Amino acid sequence: QYPFGRRLPCDIYWHGVSFHDNNIFSGQVNKFPGMTEMVRKVTLSRAVRTMQDLFPLEYDFYPRSWILPEELPLFVDEVRMMKDSDPSWKPTFIVKPDGGCQGDGIYLIKDPSDIRQTGSIQSRPAVVQEYICKPLLVDKLKFDIRLYVLLKSLEPLEIYIAKDGLSRFCTEPYQEPTLKNLHQVFMHLTNYSLNIHSGNFIHSDNVNTGSKRTFSSILCRLSSRGADVKKLWSDIISLVIKTIIALTPELKVYYQSDIPAGKPGPTCFQILGFDILLMKNLKPMLLEVNANPSMRIEHEQELSPGVFENVPSPVDEEVKVAVIRDTLRLMDPQNKKRKDIQCWLYPAIADGKLQLKPVKTQVKHGMKDKQHKHHSLKLSLKLKCQTSGHVSEANEDLLDTGPADGPEHETTRALEPELPSLCLKQVFPKYAKQFNYLRLVDRVAALFIRFLGVKGTTKLGPTGFRTFIRNCKLSNSNFSMACVDILYIDITRRRNGMGIDHKESGMCLQAFVEAFFCLAQKKYKSLPLHQQVTLLIDFCEYQLSVLDEKR
Ligand code: ADP
């Protein structure tokens, strides 16, 4: 640990909270710039909303949400309209403060008028969301799933999902929300940090029981009840890929700002925690994404009042050790070198011709073991991987270690013969063909970044916006440059007035996307929005390629 910074270059930098060190010029950092901002409740809701505008059916895994305070009137109106059109609709909503975690400040309401407007609402942005009233119950209890996802690279996009996760249980039997039980957090909120304080919380050494279990143990139960767990996994994979596709455009803006192209800098990767709720019909719904998921493998136990002790938590250990171990295996820079030299190195090791540096642990047999011991020493992690019954088989089909794992992992496996197979399974680019059509905003972001001009900024100035319009030939007699300026001012002022981020003046990506959608609607009337946007992107990219050729 280097609390005061380290200046000697490292292969891998493991930052505790976020990407924060601009003095790293090589290696790999375990956080992306801007990720913490991107997964805040308001920003995530906004990014998903943009995708819902383009692809409403594909993005129906995120509950309908409104951003407070700016959408409070919209929330009130929409709920009134829906209640008028369907008087039997008796919704519940959940209010979550932006930037909150561990259930902090969360409450349920039955009516928009119940929103607590304490303090200056302007300074307390929040998301209000439709409450999922019919979650899947196990042992009569509500639970959610924490899945670990490795974003290995942004460009090209590479995503891995851990085969197992955690299921975190409520500690009071679930009842659908009524005015009487709305306040019962142990019934409605699955947060571990809350439920641990309930007298009913069960710490268990068994991954199949207690208030925290492995997700695979739940799948096992579901499968024995005849549920289609294969379909469930593929829905979860699809949810994860689509969510990351919603986040990548803005992440790329942050990335180019902190690590400008063409300058020496590190590459990034990040372990994300996805919180997912299963509905009664087994549809997975995204609750939130954590940029800094807890990797603790111990829990506190109160020995006597006020006296706590850390004790190992086998369930956490089972899941999290594998995630960290495999992240390191995938990011190990030696993998790349190994790939290059494998053709001569591996046969030499196998023949026993190549001597490796002795390692301190006892070496059992042969050179392969030495190599392995060396690895297990470096990682010093407990290597376990539970696979049970036909659930993991079904799971394996979807998350198989097939060709998509790539040759580098073949090499890893060849040189780490005794390590368990990777618990992190690649899902992108493996399933890229099925999802690439959703990556429209990524292309809009590429245009935005091209016109940012000054390196290191995240906002487009009026001149940059004008240049974009001129170079893409979007101005004409119906849409003069004066109209362009008005569009810029209108959208930018409104966005900056929302109090999201007005440290830097100018047009942020979300505002540019809004302007781009406006232009697309103007130019290609009466088509669905995603078609209008696709046509405009094609048009702009074509104009720019012609310009580049001329230059
Ligand atoms: P936090 O970051 O504070 O944990 P979450 O968004 O994860 O906030 O919400 C906390 C808990 O509230 C979740 O773990 C889940 O049990 C419950 N919850 C959140 N959103 C919903 C929803 N839309 N419907 C039902 N339950 C929800």
Side-chain angles (χ1 to χ4, degrees):
Q1 293 189 354
Y2 292 89
F4 305 110
R6 177 188 157 101
R7 292 293 155 252
L8 287 175
C10 300
D11 292 323
I12 294 181
Y13 297 82
W14 201 271
H15 286 188
V17 180
S18 59
F19 182 91
H20 58 262
D21 190 343
N22 287 331
N23 290 318
I24 297 175
F25 303 107
S26 64
Q28 312 182 79
V29 181
N30 72 328
K31 303 281 184 212
F32 280 92
M35 185 65 90
T36 312
E37 288 79 359
M38 278 315 298
V39 299
R40 287 172 75 99
K41 293 180 172 63
V42 165
T43 339
L44 176 71
S45 299
R46 223 185 276 285
V48 174
R49 169 92 56 84
T50 303
M51 295 308 290
Q52 286 174 330
D53 289 343
L54 288 168
F55 303 103
L57 295 180
E58 285 87 340
Y59 280 82
D60 67 349
F61 58 82
Y62 191 66
R64 199 185 337 216
S65 306
W66 295 264
I67 292 159
L68 302 178
E70 76 224 33
E71 291 179 350
L72 184 59
L74 186 73
F75 171 54
V76 173
D77 285 352
E78 287 192 1
V79 171
R80 191 183 314 120
M81 263 166 43
M82 287 186 279
K83 277 187 174 169
D84 286 349
S85 67
D86 177 9
S88 68
W89 189 54
K90 299 266 181 280
T92 304
F93 302 97
I94 182 163
V95 186
K96 316 186 200 181
D98 189 42
C101 61
Q102 307 191 326
D104 249 10
I106 291 186
Y107 59 97
L108 305 188
I109 54 170
K110 279 283 188 189
D111 192 83
S113 61
D114 298 334
I115 286 186
R116 296 176 201 158
Q117 299 206 22
T118 46
S120 147
I121 192 156
Q122 192 68 31
S123 62
R124 303 206 62 198
V127 167
V128 57
Q129 192 169 75
E130 244 184 286
Y131 186 74
I132 297 156
C133 292
K134 293 186 191 303
L136 179 76
L137 305 182
V138 165
D139 299 335
K140 301 198 173 117
L141 298 168
K142 175 174 170 177
F143 67 97
D144 75 353
I145 308 160
R146 156 61 58 86
L147 274 189
Y148 296 94
V149 170
L150 170 68
L151 181 55
K152 184 168 181 268
S153 143
L154 201 52
E155 191 76 72
L157 187 58
E158 282 184 63
I159 308 169
Y160 288 73
I161 301 184
K163 272 165 84 171
D164 205 353
L166 298 170
S167 304
R168 299 159 310 178
F169 279 72
C170 277
T171 40
E172 299 252 329
Y174 184 76
Q175 285 165 12
E176 285 197 27
T178 60
L179 279 175
K180 274 201 182 139
N181 70 29
L182 279 188
H183 313 288
Q184 300 196 20
V185 289
F186 298 147
M187 175 187 288
H188 291 293
L189 307 187
T190 48
N191 299 78
Y192 165 79
S193 50
L194 291 176
N195 284 281
I196 185 100
H197 299 296
S198 148
N200 297 337
F201 194 95
I202 303 169
H203 288 290
S204 167
D205 282 353
N206 186 326
V207 295
N208 303 302
T209 57
S211 299
K212 205 192 252 185
R213 311 180 193 178
T214 57
F215 179 44
S216 56
S217 77
I218 302 290
L219 286 174
C220 228
R221 279 211 24 197
L222 293 177
S223 161
S224 66
R225 287 190 209 164
D228 187 351
V229 291
K230 246 183 171 181
K231 158 111 181 29
L232 174 57
W233 255 118
S234 90
D235 288 347
I236 288 176
I237 290 171
S238 155
L239 174 155
V240 167
I241 295 176
K242 287 172 184 171
T243 304
I244 291 187
I245 286 178
L247 297 175
T248 52
E250 229 162 320
L251 282 176
K252 285 182 183 172
V253 174
Y254 279 109
Y255 200 93
Q256 62 78 39
S257 158
D258 271 335
I259 311 171
K263 286 199 181 159
T267 53
C268 302
F269 64 97
Q270 189 152 358
I271 297 172
L272 300 169
F274 272 65
D275 290 350
I276 294 170
L277 189 70
L278 295 184
M279 300 209 324
K280 210 175 197 138
N281 61 6
L282 287 192
K283 182 178 170 58
M285 298 292 285
L286 176 69
L287 295 178
E288 71 160 352
V289 181
N290 279 277
N292 194 20
S294 160
M295 285 296 171
R296 282 194 70 172
I297 53 169
E298 292 171 326
H299 64 81
E300 270 181 2
Q301 206 169 40
E302 196 163 12
L303 295 178
S304 53
V307 182
F308 293 91
E309 179 192 52
N310 281 334
V311 293
S313 164
V315 184
D316 287 289
E317 196 172 325
E318 173 85 37
V319 172
K320 294 175 182 174
V321 166
V323 170
I324 302 261
R325 178 199 67 212
D326 288 354
T327 299
L328 290 172
R329 280 163 88 189
L330 288 174
M331 303 318 301
D332 182 357
Q334 294 298 325
N335 275 342
K336 280 197 199 94
K337 283 185 211 152
R338 277 198 210 110
K339 204 167 109 188
D340 300 338
I341 59 175
Q342 184 199 19
C343 42
W344 62 268
L345 176 66
Y346 188 65
I349 291 174
D351 290 355
K353 285 179 194 150
L354 188 75
Q355 289 295 320
L356 294 173
K357 272 188 190 166
V359 289
K360 279 185 189 140
T361 29
Q362 190 194 351
V363 173
K364 282 193 235 145
H365 1 254
M367 296 306 296
K368 274 198 228 169
D369 285 323
K370 271 188 194 171
Q371 179 76 4
H372 165 59
K373 284 280 174 195
H374 188 58
H375 267 274
S376 48
L377 238 190
K378 272 206 294 189
L379 304 179
S380 75
L381 300 169
K382 216 170 183 178
L383 308 172
K384 281 196 281 178
C385 202
Q386 187 203 25
T387 48
S388 57
H390 59 293
V391 176
S392 45
E393 270 170 44
N395 187 339
E396 196 69 54
D397 276 355
L398 279 157
L399 295 165
D400 67 281
T401 44
D405 272 353
E408 74 205 69
H409 312 139
E410 299 290 317
T411 319
T412 313
R413 242 175 279 142
L415 285 164
E416 296 170 344
E418 284 176 30
L419 284 181
S421 68
L422 287 168
C423 81
L424 288 168
K425 299 299 168 191
Q426 196 203 67
V427 293
F428 204 96
K430 182 172 184 176
Y431 301 117
K433 270 195 200 137
Q434 283 146 262
F435 295 95
N436 271 341
Y437 75 100
L438 298 172
R439 303 181 68 191
L440 283 185
V441 188
D442 253 2
R443 289 167 69 195
V444 179
L447 294 173
F448 176 79
I449 290 170
R450 178 180 169 132
F451 290 98
L452 273 179
V454 187
K455 287 216 164 94
T457 52
T458 54
K459 293 204 174 169
L460 190 64
T463 316
F465 190 65
R466 279 175 144 247
T467 314
F468 152 69
I469 298 281
R470 210 175 298 119
N471 288 5
C472 293
K473 300 204 178 340
L474 296 177
S475 162
N476 53 38
S477 52
N478 285 332
F479 188 61
S480 65
M481 286 315 270
C483 297
V484 170
D485 290 340
I486 292 171
L487 180 70
Y488 177 89
I489 292 167
D490 266 3
I491 293 185
T492 305
R493 191 174 289 162
R494 192 153 37 79
R495 286 273 166 183
N496 288 350
M498 288 176 190
I500 312 151
D501 168 23
H502 41 246
K503 273 175 262 145
E504 213 185 314
S505 68
M507 185 181 241
C508 63
L509 175 69
Q510 282 289 328
F512 182 77
V513 169
E514 189 182 333
F516 197 88
F517 286 10
C518 267
L519 294 167
Q521 283 163 321
K522 221 184 263 237
K523 196 169 164 68
Y524 305 101
K525 297 184 179 70
S526 71
L527 286 174
L529 181 65
H530 72 268
Q531 281 183 23
Q532 295 170 328
V533 172
T534 310
L535 286 171
L536 187 63
I537 297 173
D538 288 345
F539 181 82
C540 292
E541 287 175 350
Y542 173 74
Q543 296 299 342
L544 294 174
S545 70
V546 171
L547 199 72
D548 287 345
E549 249 169 54
K550 269 194 207 155
R551 278 178 185 159

